Amino acid sequence: MQLRPQICRWHTYTNLDELSRAGAQRILHSAREAIARNGRFSIVLAGGSTPRQVYELMRTGDTDWSRWQVFFGDERCLPVDHPERNSRMAAESWLDHVAIPSALIHPIPAELGPQQAAAAYAKTLASVPEFDLVLLGLGEDGHTASLFPGHAWGAEPDSPPVLAVLDAPKPPPQRVSLSASRLSRAREVMFLVSGAGKRQAVADWQAGKNIPALAITPPGEVDVLLDF
Ligand code: 6PG
């Protein structure tokens, strides 16, 4: 089945500080446009450590937080308050500091275990046909969210929206991830990529090597913010 081609715009910054400032500005711009367009803004947050500085900058964002809806691209199957939870990183760095109604923040219930959490989150996403903005990171092996090389990515259009991941190479092994197909149902996608360790993954990506990041194919362009 021929999938939509991915069209990337590569943006290089001097360091993570500059990348983070640009990332935060892009998020706020996307929110302004979505709220003006249809009165609300749906965003999917990236996990890992790279987005932390962007999230901290978002605390002082000039926006109507009551219009925001927050989802997560993936989550580790750990207790809710575990320090390695993506939801905890986002809360501590950003969401606990702004007035987004808690009912509009949708963490993945990964503490339920991969299969149960994936089924529950698929129901949560059923009411969101298209995200306004999807944020993603990139692993040194080319993974994104919890979609890893050699594993299921759910790239086909009829793939399930949320995948149970049982043997992730990046600990913890049990995770929950939106599928590549579901992550691609977005008006905008922005990758935040920091650290020389990602150079080879980016080179592979730019050479068209079939890595999970390449399977994120929204109708529009994909913006990739790099600090190398
Ligand atoms: C996770 C993330 C994962 C992350 C990349 C990059 O749960 O681990 O979703 O996809 O974005 O591994 O991680 P860093 O930003 O920490 O390099």
Side-chain angles (χ1 to χ4, degrees):
M1 181 181 294
Q2 179 56 37
L3 298 177
R4 195 171 25 221
Q6 181 187 65
I7 303 163
C8 285
R9 292 183 294 220
W10 307 90
H11 312 273
T12 300
Y13 299 93
T14 309
N15 53 44
L16 181 57
D17 289 351
E18 203 185 285
L19 182 156
S20 302
R21 281 193 296 275
Q25 283 165 8
R26 283 174 172 273
I27 294 169
L28 289 166
H29 177 73
S30 180
R32 252 190 318 276
E33 287 199 326
I35 292 168
R37 191 172 55 242
N38 57 29
R40 62 190 182 286
F41 175 58
S42 61
I43 183 172
V44 175
L45 300 190
S49 57
T50 301
R52 182 184 289 275
Q53 217 171 306
V54 175
Y55 295 170
E56 287 167 351
L57 290 170
M58 292 304 298
R59 290 183 193 183
T60 55
D62 176 16
T63 184
D64 181 352
W65 294 115
S66 71
R67 305 288 187 152
W68 287 53
Q69 271 218 75
V70 177
F71 301 90
F72 289 80
D74 69 329
E75 187 55 274
R76 296 98 179 264
C77 292
L78 298 167
V80 172
D81 56 358
H82 191 286
E84 291 299 306
R85 282 272 301 226
N86 289 330
S87 54
R88 179 164 169 180
M89 187 276 275
E92 286 179 344
S93 57
W94 170 16
L95 303 178
D96 286 353
H97 305 272
V98 296
I100 300 177
S102 57
L104 298 180
I105 298 175
H106 306 282
I108 298 174
E111 64 280 3
L112 301 176
Q115 289 86 354
Q116 205 175 333
Y121 212 59
K123 292 192 178 80
T124 300
L125 296 183
S127 62
V128 188
E130 181 186 62
F131 299 118
D132 291 306
L133 175 61
V134 169
L135 304 183
L136 288 166
L138 181 74
E140 296 187 1
D141 60 357
H143 79 256
T144 190
S146 288
L147 307 174
F148 292 91
H151 295 65
W153 308 345
E156 297 69 26
D158 58 353
S159 300
V162 190
L163 305 178
V165 179
L166 306 179
D167 52 353
K170 177 179 180 183
Q174 294 204 336
R175 291 162 166 257
V176 181
S177 182
L178 271 59
S179 60
S181 164
R182 190 64 180 86
L183 289 165
S184 301
R185 283 168 50 191
R187 285 182 73 91
E188 295 182 86
V189 174
M190 176 164 69
F191 280 81
L192 304 168
V193 183
S194 171
K198 315 282 176 78
R199 272 185 200 284
Q200 187 54 55
V202 168
D204 290 346
W205 189 359
Q206 290 175 334
K209 188 175 171 191
N210 194 26
I211 59 172
L214 192 72
I216 309 304
T217 56
E221 287 86 358
V222 170
D223 287 299
V224 185
L225 279 55
L226 306 158
D227 66 355
F228 53 84

